[in-house]
Amino acid sequence: GQQLNQSPQSMFIQEGEDVSMNCTSSSIFNTWLWYKQDPGEGPVLLIALYKAGELTSNGRLTAQFGITRKDSFLNISASIPSDVGIYFCAGRGGSNYKLTFGKGTLLTVNP
Amino acid sequence: DTAVSQTPKYLVTQMGNDKSIKCEQNLGHDTMYWYKQDSKKFLKIMFSYNNKELIINETVPNRFSPKSPDKAHLNLHINSLELGDSAVYFCASSQQLGLAVHIQYFGAGTRLSVL
């Protein structure tokens, strides 16, 4: 089946720093999604990407759909303590419904 | 109003018991899902229903049985609980409308502990 490699597995940064994380796939995806999970909560959608090369921003967050359709990255600028959480990439291949999730990036922001 | 709500939030039970987790969404979505998140936070799809019809059934022990009485509800019944069933179970829903079918909205999770 499709697999997603998400890196890094974890990050420890200082408040104000920029952060970058990415996902790569062994096969082509048609949609990339980025979610954030706070402790004790479910994942919440941050950004959705639908076209190869698409670059989309949501406040301090920017994500891109790789031109090869096999990768995506998420950048967070000027991190703040509430950015702490687990960030998941998710991709859709041929199925209309099935999302494949990356293993997550645990972000810790030191004030 | 909570868009996707699961009950209970916490479930502690003994090995061998049978338990159910309920999920309801008030978003008017056509499709609902159950995911399992293990201790390493890996999210794995288990089941999906579209308009009460099973459309995704991953390799899950048949002790797990989903039931969708209507498109706003998807319940998960687990028979003969085992230690390895301990995890967080997430319900999610999505709408089949153009590209938006791919955006899944998650509940807050049910933390199952099997002792």
Side-chain angles (χ1 to χ4, degrees), chain A residues 55-98:
Chain A
L55 183 72
T56 297
S57 292
N58 178 6
R60 294 177 297 106
L61 276 60
T62 302
Q64 184 158 31
F65 192 143
I67 199 72
T68 65
R69 295 165 64 192
K70 289 186 176 182
D71 62 319
S72 177
F73 72 75
L74 174 70
N75 286 345
I76 305 173
S77 62
S79 58
I80 58 178
S82 62
D83 290 335
V84 164
I86 303 176
Y87 291 79
F88 290 98
C89 63
R92 181 191 71 89
S95 164
N96 275 336
Y97 302 97
K98 186 176 176 182

mmCIF file of all heavy atoms in Angstrom, chain A residues 55-98:
data_model
loop_
_atom_site.group_PDB
_atom_site.id
_atom_site.type_symbol
_atom_site.label_atom_id
_atom_site.label_comp_id
_atom_site.label_asym_id
_atom_site.label_seq_id
_atom_site.Cartn_x
_atom_site.Cartn_y
_atom_site.Cartn_z
ATOM 1 N N LEU A 55 1.022 26.362 -3.810
ATOM 2 C CA LEU A 55 1.601 26.910 -2.583
ATOM 3 C C LEU A 55 0.485 27.658 -1.873
ATOM 4 O O LEU A 55 -0.105 28.581 -2.440
ATOM 5 C CB LEU A 55 2.756 27.853 -2.910
ATOM 6 C CG LEU A 55 3.521 28.463 -1.732
ATOM 7 C CD1 LEU A 55 4.380 27.403 -1.051
ATOM 8 C CD2 LEU A 55 4.406 29.605 -2.215
ATOM 9 N N THR A 56 0.179 27.255 -0.648
ATOM 10 C CA THR A 56 -0.954 27.835 0.074
ATOM 11 C C THR A 56 -0.526 28.269 1.463
ATOM 12 O O THR A 56 0.227 27.561 2.123
ATOM 13 C CB THR A 56 -2.098 26.804 0.176
ATOM 14 O OG1 THR A 56 -2.563 26.495 -1.136
ATOM 15 C CG2 THR A 56 -3.267 27.350 0.981
ATOM 16 N N SER A 57 -1.027 29.418 1.893
ATOM 17 C CA SER A 57 -0.709 29.920 3.226
ATOM 18 C C SER A 57 -1.961 30.016 4.076
ATOM 19 O O SER A 57 -3.066 30.237 3.571
ATOM 20 C CB SER A 57 -0.060 31.306 3.123
ATOM 21 O OG SER A 57 1.210 31.204 2.526
ATOM 22 N N ASN A 58 -1.747 29.861 5.374
ATOM 23 C CA ASN A 58 -2.797 30.016 6.372
ATOM 24 C C ASN A 58 -2.149 30.703 7.567
ATOM 25 O O ASN A 58 -1.592 30.049 8.439
ATOM 26 C CB ASN A 58 -3.387 28.657 6.737
ATOM 27 C CG ASN A 58 -4.460 28.771 7.816
ATOM 28 O OD1 ASN A 58 -4.847 29.879 8.206
ATOM 29 N ND2 ASN A 58 -4.937 27.642 8.283
ATOM 30 N N GLY A 59 -2.188 32.029 7.566
ATOM 31 C CA GLY A 59 -1.498 32.770 8.620
ATOM 32 C C GLY A 59 0.002 32.569 8.528
ATOM 33 O O GLY A 59 0.602 32.803 7.477
ATOM 34 N N ARG A 60 0.603 32.080 9.619
ATOM 35 C CA ARG A 60 2.058 31.850 9.625
ATOM 36 C C ARG A 60 2.447 30.520 8.996
ATOM 37 O O ARG A 60 3.620 30.169 8.950
ATOM 38 C CB ARG A 60 2.558 31.909 11.070
ATOM 39 C CG ARG A 60 2.439 33.291 11.721
ATOM 40 C CD ARG A 60 2.896 33.270 13.197
ATOM 41 N NE ARG A 60 2.029 32.402 14.000
ATOM 42 C CZ ARG A 60 2.374 31.211 14.452
ATOM 43 N NH1 ARG A 60 3.576 30.717 14.185
ATOM 44 N NH2 ARG A 60 1.531 30.512 15.175
ATOM 45 N N LEU A 61 1.469 29.767 8.532
ATOM 46 C CA LEU A 61 1.732 28.453 7.950
ATOM 47 C C LEU A 61 1.721 28.541 6.430
ATOM 48 O O LEU A 61 0.867 29.220 5.852
ATOM 49 C CB LEU A 61 0.660 27.453 8.388
ATOM 50 C CG LEU A 61 0.806 26.752 9.726
ATOM 51 C CD1 LEU A 61 0.846 27.732 10.878
ATOM 52 C CD2 LEU A 61 -0.323 25.766 9.931
ATOM 53 N N THR A 62 2.659 27.860 5.815
ATOM 54 C CA THR A 62 2.716 27.765 4.358
ATOM 55 C C THR A 62 2.995 26.314 4.002
ATOM 56 O O THR A 62 3.865 25.684 4.604
ATOM 57 C CB THR A 62 3.836 28.651 3.781
ATOM 58 O OG1 THR A 62 3.613 30.007 4.173
ATOM 59 C CG2 THR A 62 3.854 28.557 2.260
ATOM 60 N N ALA A 63 2.249 25.805 3.030
ATOM 61 C CA ALA A 63 2.461 24.428 2.596
ATOM 62 C C ALA A 63 2.516 24.388 1.075
ATOM 63 O O ALA A 63 1.910 25.224 0.394
ATOM 64 C CB ALA A 63 1.350 23.515 3.105
ATOM 65 N N GLN A 64 3.242 23.425 0.559
ATOM 66 C CA GLN A 64 3.349 23.279 -0.890
ATOM 67 C C GLN A 64 3.147 21.835 -1.298
ATOM 68 O O GLN A 64 3.592 20.908 -0.617
ATOM 69 C CB GLN A 64 4.702 23.768 -1.414
ATOM 70 C CG GLN A 64 4.791 23.710 -2.944
ATOM 71 C CD GLN A 64 5.843 24.625 -3.524
ATOM 72 O OE1 GLN A 64 6.863 24.878 -2.905
ATOM 73 N NE2 GLN A 64 5.609 25.107 -4.731
ATOM 74 N N PHE A 65 2.489 21.673 -2.424
ATOM 75 C CA PHE A 65 2.273 20.382 -3.070
ATOM 76 C C PHE A 65 3.422 20.223 -4.064
ATOM 77 O O PHE A 65 3.532 20.987 -5.007
ATOM 78 C CB PHE A 65 0.935 20.440 -3.811
ATOM 79 C CG PHE A 65 0.383 19.141 -4.302
ATOM 80 C CD1 PHE A 65 -0.981 18.919 -4.253
ATOM 81 C CD2 PHE A 65 1.187 18.171 -4.854
ATOM 82 C CE1 PHE A 65 -1.531 17.740 -4.743
ATOM 83 C CE2 PHE A 65 0.658 16.988 -5.334
ATOM 84 C CZ PHE A 65 -0.705 16.770 -5.281
ATOM 85 N N GLY A 66 4.275 19.229 -3.856
ATOM 86 C CA GLY A 66 5.447 19.070 -4.695
ATOM 87 C C GLY A 66 5.099 18.846 -6.159
ATOM 88 O O GLY A 66 4.085 18.222 -6.479
ATOM 89 N N ILE A 67 5.960 19.318 -7.023
ATOM 90 C CA ILE A 67 5.706 19.257 -8.461
ATOM 91 C C ILE A 67 5.681 17.816 -8.971
ATOM 92 O O ILE A 67 5.010 17.500 -9.953
ATOM 93 C CB ILE A 67 6.756 20.098 -9.225
ATOM 94 C CG1 ILE A 67 6.247 20.432 -10.629
ATOM 95 C CG2 ILE A 67 8.100 19.414 -9.243
ATOM 96 C CD1 ILE A 67 5.157 21.438 -10.654
ATOM 97 N N THR A 68 6.384 16.921 -8.290
ATOM 98 C CA THR A 68 6.370 15.509 -8.692
ATOM 99 C C THR A 68 5.131 14.776 -8.181
ATOM 100 O O THR A 68 4.900 13.623 -8.524
ATOM 101 C CB THR A 68 7.614 14.778 -8.152
ATOM 102 O OG1 THR A 68 7.545 14.753 -6.724
ATOM 103 C CG2 THR A 68 8.895 15.437 -8.616
ATOM 104 N N ARG A 69 4.348 15.453 -7.329
ATOM 105 C CA ARG A 69 3.160 14.900 -6.673
ATOM 106 C C ARG A 69 3.500 13.798 -5.682
ATOM 107 O O ARG A 69 2.618 13.066 -5.235
ATOM 108 C CB ARG A 69 2.149 14.402 -7.710
ATOM 109 C CG ARG A 69 1.596 15.536 -8.552
ATOM 110 C CD ARG A 69 0.889 15.027 -9.781
ATOM 111 N NE ARG A 69 -0.282 14.249 -9.443
ATOM 112 C CZ ARG A 69 -0.946 13.496 -10.309
ATOM 113 N NH1 ARG A 69 -0.544 13.433 -11.568
ATOM 114 N NH2 ARG A 69 -2.007 12.810 -9.940
ATOM 115 N N LYS A 70 4.775 13.698 -5.316
ATOM 116 C CA LYS A 70 5.174 12.678 -4.352
ATOM 117 C C LYS A 70 5.662 13.288 -3.046
ATOM 118 O O LYS A 70 6.181 12.575 -2.190
ATOM 119 C CB LYS A 70 6.279 11.803 -4.951
ATOM 120 C CG LYS A 70 5.813 10.888 -6.064
ATOM 121 C CD LYS A 70 6.936 9.973 -6.495
ATOM 122 C CE LYS A 70 6.452 8.984 -7.551
ATOM 123 N NZ LYS A 70 7.537 8.048 -7.933
ATOM 124 N N ASP A 71 5.534 14.604 -2.897
ATOM 125 C CA ASP A 71 5.997 15.200 -1.658
ATOM 126 C C ASP A 71 5.262 16.499 -1.356
ATOM 127 O O ASP A 71 4.645 17.108 -2.228
ATOM 128 C CB ASP A 71 7.512 15.451 -1.712
ATOM 129 C CG ASP A 71 7.887 16.436 -2.809
ATOM 130 O OD1 ASP A 71 7.320 16.352 -3.914
ATOM 131 O OD2 ASP A 71 8.734 17.306 -2.545
ATOM 132 N N SER A 72 5.359 16.901 -0.089
ATOM 133 C CA SER A 72 4.765 18.147 0.356
ATOM 134 C C SER A 72 5.557 18.634 1.560
ATOM 135 O O SER A 72 6.140 17.818 2.294
ATOM 136 C CB SER A 72 3.298 17.934 0.749
ATOM 137 O OG SER A 72 2.731 19.132 1.246
ATOM 138 N N PHE A 73 5.602 19.936 1.748
ATOM 139 C CA PHE A 73 6.236 20.459 2.947
ATOM 140 C C PHE A 73 5.321 21.458 3.633
ATOM 141 O O PHE A 73 4.422 22.037 3.029
ATOM 142 C CB PHE A 73 7.614 21.080 2.643
ATOM 143 C CG PHE A 73 7.553 22.397 1.908
ATOM 144 C CD1 PHE A 73 7.178 23.577 2.552
ATOM 145 C CD2 PHE A 73 7.898 22.476 0.566
ATOM 146 C CE1 PHE A 73 7.125 24.785 1.876
ATOM 147 C CE2 PHE A 73 7.848 23.680 -0.112
ATOM 148 C CZ PHE A 73 7.457 24.843 0.539
ATOM 149 N N LEU A 74 5.588 21.636 4.927
ATOM 150 C CA LEU A 74 4.869 22.621 5.732
ATOM 151 C C LEU A 74 5.892 23.488 6.437
ATOM 152 O O LEU A 74 6.804 22.959 7.077
ATOM 153 C CB LEU A 74 3.966 21.943 6.765
ATOM 154 C CG LEU A 74 3.258 22.871 7.762
ATOM 155 C CD1 LEU A 74 2.181 23.689 7.069
ATOM 156 C CD2 LEU A 74 2.648 22.064 8.914
ATOM 157 N N ASN A 75 5.755 24.777 6.315
ATOM 158 C CA ASN A 75 6.601 25.719 7.029
ATOM 159 C C ASN A 75 5.770 26.499 8.029
ATOM 160 O O ASN A 75 4.638 26.899 7.733
ATOM 161 C CB ASN A 75 7.252 26.719 6.064
ATOM 162 C CG ASN A 75 8.375 26.091 5.259
ATOM 163 O OD1 ASN A 75 8.860 25.021 5.597
ATOM 164 N ND2 ASN A 75 8.755 26.739 4.174
ATOM 165 N N ILE A 76 6.343 26.722 9.203
ATOM 166 C CA ILE A 76 5.734 27.585 10.208
ATOM 167 C C ILE A 76 6.727 28.702 10.479
ATOM 168 O O ILE A 76 7.881 28.439 10.831
ATOM 169 C CB ILE A 76 5.433 26.826 11.515
ATOM 170 C CG1 ILE A 76 4.577 25.602 11.235
ATOM 171 C CG2 ILE A 76 4.735 27.749 12.514
ATOM 172 C CD1 ILE A 76 4.370 24.695 12.453
ATOM 173 N N SER A 77 6.298 29.924 10.317
ATOM 174 C CA SER A 77 7.206 31.044 10.562
ATOM 175 C C SER A 77 6.948 31.645 11.934
ATOM 176 O O SER A 77 5.819 31.597 12.449
ATOM 177 C CB SER A 77 7.030 32.118 9.482
ATOM 178 O OG SER A 77 5.725 32.640 9.523
ATOM 179 N N ALA A 78 8.012 32.178 12.522
ATOM 180 C CA ALA A 78 7.924 32.882 13.804
ATOM 181 C C ALA A 78 7.113 32.092 14.827
ATOM 182 O O ALA A 78 6.072 32.552 15.297
ATOM 183 C CB ALA A 78 7.327 34.272 13.589
ATOM 184 N N SER A 79 7.581 30.907 15.152
ATOM 185 C CA SER A 79 6.822 30.000 16.009
ATOM 186 C C SER A 79 6.506 30.632 17.367
ATOM 187 O O SER A 79 7.254 31.467 17.895
ATOM 188 C CB SER A 79 7.612 28.712 16.209
ATOM 189 O OG SER A 79 8.869 29.005 16.783
ATOM 190 N N ILE A 80 5.375 30.200 17.907
ATOM 191 C CA ILE A 80 4.917 30.644 19.223
ATOM 192 C C ILE A 80 4.600 29.405 20.057
ATOM 193 O O ILE A 80 4.443 28.307 19.501
ATOM 194 C CB ILE A 80 3.673 31.563 19.102
ATOM 195 C CG1 ILE A 80 2.537 30.840 18.395
ATOM 196 C CG2 ILE A 80 4.044 32.857 18.385
ATOM 197 C CD1 ILE A 80 1.270 31.677 18.277
ATOM 198 N N PRO A 81 4.521 29.552 21.381
ATOM 199 C CA PRO A 81 4.297 28.373 22.234
ATOM 200 C C PRO A 81 3.066 27.549 21.860
ATOM 201 O O PRO A 81 3.082 26.322 21.975
ATOM 202 C CB PRO A 81 4.180 28.978 23.635
ATOM 203 C CG PRO A 81 5.034 30.198 23.572
ATOM 204 C CD PRO A 81 4.839 30.749 22.193
ATOM 205 N N SER A 82 2.015 28.165 21.388
ATOM 206 C CA SER A 82 0.807 27.407 21.054
ATOM 207 C C SER A 82 0.944 26.601 19.758
ATOM 208 O O SER A 82 0.035 25.850 19.392
ATOM 209 C CB SER A 82 -0.400 28.349 20.944
ATOM 210 O OG SER A 82 -0.204 29.277 19.900
ATOM 211 N N ASP A 83 2.067 26.701 19.095
ATOM 212 C CA ASP A 83 2.325 25.851 17.918
ATOM 213 C C ASP A 83 2.688 24.429 18.337
ATOM 214 O O ASP A 83 2.760 23.530 17.493
ATOM 215 C CB ASP A 83 3.462 26.421 17.060
ATOM 216 C CG ASP A 83 3.071 27.699 16.338
ATOM 217 O OD1 ASP A 83 1.856 27.896 16.093
ATOM 218 O OD2 ASP A 83 3.972 28.495 16.019
ATOM 219 N N VAL A 84 2.923 24.225 19.619
ATOM 220 C CA VAL A 84 3.274 22.902 20.125
ATOM 221 C C VAL A 84 2.186 21.889 19.774
ATOM 222 O O VAL A 84 1.001 22.173 19.895
ATOM 223 C CB VAL A 84 3.471 22.953 21.659
ATOM 224 C CG1 VAL A 84 3.449 21.561 22.257
ATOM 225 C CG2 VAL A 84 4.751 23.669 22.011
ATOM 226 N N GLY A 85 2.616 20.723 19.329
ATOM 227 C CA GLY A 85 1.666 19.673 18.991
ATOM 228 C C GLY A 85 2.283 18.705 18.011
ATOM 229 O O GLY A 85 3.489 18.763 17.728
ATOM 230 N N ILE A 86 1.462 17.814 17.500
ATOM 231 C CA ILE A 86 1.914 16.857 16.492
ATOM 232 C C ILE A 86 1.318 17.255 15.151
ATOM 233 O O ILE A 86 0.110 17.457 15.032
ATOM 234 C CB ILE A 86 1.489 15.417 16.832
ATOM 235 C CG1 ILE A 86 1.999 15.011 18.206
ATOM 236 C CG2 ILE A 86 2.021 14.442 15.771
ATOM 237 C CD1 ILE A 86 1.531 13.642 18.658
ATOM 238 N N TYR A 87 2.170 17.381 14.160
ATOM 239 C CA TYR A 87 1.742 17.762 12.823
ATOM 240 C C TYR A 87 1.765 16.515 11.936
ATOM 241 O O TYR A 87 2.759 15.795 11.876
ATOM 242 C CB TYR A 87 2.657 18.847 12.258
ATOM 243 C CG TYR A 87 2.489 20.165 12.986
ATOM 244 C CD1 TYR A 87 3.103 20.379 14.224
ATOM 245 C CD2 TYR A 87 1.704 21.183 12.457
ATOM 246 C CE1 TYR A 87 2.922 21.571 14.908
ATOM 247 C CE2 TYR A 87 1.536 22.383 13.126
ATOM 248 C CZ TYR A 87 2.141 22.568 14.354
ATOM 249 O OH TYR A 87 1.965 23.752 15.025
ATOM 250 N N PHE A 88 0.651 16.289 11.264
ATOM 251 C CA PHE A 88 0.536 15.130 10.377
ATOM 252 C C PHE A 88 0.327 15.594 8.938
ATOM 253 O O PHE A 88 -0.484 16.483 8.680
ATOM 254 C CB PHE A 88 -0.670 14.262 10.750
ATOM 255 C CG PHE A 88 -0.546 13.521 12.040
ATOM 256 C CD1 PHE A 88 -1.118 14.017 13.203
ATOM 257 C CD2 PHE A 88 0.139 12.312 12.099
ATOM 258 C CE1 PHE A 88 -1.017 13.336 14.399
ATOM 259 C CE2 PHE A 88 0.253 11.620 13.289
ATOM 260 C CZ PHE A 88 -0.327 12.135 14.441
ATOM 261 N N CYS A 89 1.037 14.955 8.036
ATOM 262 C CA CYS A 89 0.673 15.087 6.635
ATOM 263 C C CYS A 89 -0.257 13.919 6.299
ATOM 264 O O CYS A 89 -0.233 12.874 6.957
ATOM 265 C CB CYS A 89 1.896 15.058 5.725
ATOM 266 S SG CYS A 89 2.820 13.512 5.776
ATOM 267 N N ALA A 90 -1.089 14.110 5.308
ATOM 268 C CA ALA A 90 -1.978 13.047 4.842
ATOM 269 C C ALA A 90 -2.149 13.219 3.343
ATOM 270 O O ALA A 90 -2.231 14.335 2.843
ATOM 271 C CB ALA A 90 -3.330 13.104 5.540
ATOM 272 N N GLY A 91 -2.200 12.102 2.657
ATOM 273 C CA GLY A 91 -2.322 12.160 1.207
ATOM 274 C C GLY A 91 -3.400 11.233 0.697
ATOM 275 O O GLY A 91 -3.720 10.222 1.318
ATOM 276 N N ARG A 92 -3.976 11.636 -0.417
ATOM 277 C CA ARG A 92 -4.965 10.789 -1.092
ATOM 278 C C ARG A 92 -4.421 10.397 -2.443
ATOM 279 O O ARG A 92 -3.988 11.258 -3.199
ATOM 280 C CB ARG A 92 -6.287 11.513 -1.258
ATOM 281 C CG ARG A 92 -7.371 10.666 -1.935
ATOM 282 C CD ARG A 92 -8.564 11.515 -2.327
ATOM 283 N NE ARG A 92 -8.255 12.400 -3.429
ATOM 284 C CZ ARG A 92 -8.390 12.069 -4.720
ATOM 285 N NH1 ARG A 92 -8.805 10.875 -5.058
ATOM 286 N NH2 ARG A 92 -8.095 12.947 -5.668
ATOM 287 N N GLY A 93 -4.456 9.090 -2.714
ATOM 288 C CA GLY A 93 -4.007 8.598 -4.004
ATOM 289 C C GLY A 93 -5.191 8.358 -4.909
ATOM 290 O O GLY A 93 -5.910 9.268 -5.280
ATOM 291 N N GLY A 94 -5.460 7.091 -5.213
ATOM 292 C CA GLY A 94 -6.535 6.792 -6.144
ATOM 293 C C GLY A 94 -7.914 6.760 -5.516
ATOM 294 O O GLY A 94 -8.904 7.041 -6.177
ATOM 295 N N SER A 95 -7.979 6.435 -4.236
ATOM 296 C CA SER A 95 -9.284 6.291 -3.585
ATOM 297 C C SER A 95 -9.886 7.652 -3.297
ATOM 298 O O SER A 95 -9.188 8.579 -2.910
ATOM 299 C CB SER A 95 -9.135 5.523 -2.275
ATOM 300 O OG SER A 95 -10.283 5.690 -1.465
ATOM 301 N N ASN A 96 -11.179 7.785 -3.464
ATOM 302 C CA ASN A 96 -11.840 9.047 -3.147
ATOM 303 C C ASN A 96 -11.908 9.301 -1.659
ATOM 304 O O ASN A 96 -12.113 10.419 -1.234
ATOM 305 C CB ASN A 96 -13.266 9.037 -3.702
ATOM 306 C CG ASN A 96 -13.303 9.464 -5.150
ATOM 307 O OD1 ASN A 96 -12.415 10.169 -5.611
ATOM 308 N ND2 ASN A 96 -14.298 9.037 -5.867
ATOM 309 N N TYR A 97 -11.809 8.265 -0.870
ATOM 310 C CA TYR A 97 -12.078 8.409 0.555
ATOM 311 C C TYR A 97 -10.878 8.139 1.450
ATOM 312 O O TYR A 97 -10.790 8.678 2.530
ATOM 313 C CB TYR A 97 -13.207 7.457 0.962
ATOM 314 C CG TYR A 97 -14.480 7.683 0.191
ATOM 315 C CD1 TYR A 97 -14.785 6.913 -0.919
ATOM 316 C CD2 TYR A 97 -15.361 8.687 0.572
ATOM 317 C CE1 TYR A 97 -15.941 7.146 -1.632
ATOM 318 C CE2 TYR A 97 -16.509 8.916 -0.133
ATOM 319 C CZ TYR A 97 -16.803 8.140 -1.236
ATOM 320 O OH TYR A 97 -17.949 8.364 -1.947
ATOM 321 N N LYS A 98 -9.973 7.307 1.011
ATOM 322 C CA LYS A 98 -8.932 6.863 1.928
ATOM 323 C C LYS A 98 -7.770 7.838 1.964
ATOM 324 O O LYS A 98 -7.201 8.188 0.927
ATOM 325 C CB LYS A 98 -8.428 5.479 1.507
ATOM 326 C CG LYS A 98 -7.444 4.879 2.488
ATOM 327 C CD LYS A 98 -7.065 3.483 2.054
ATOM 328 C CE LYS A 98 -6.009 2.910 2.983
ATOM 329 N NZ LYS A 98 -5.597 1.568 2.544
#
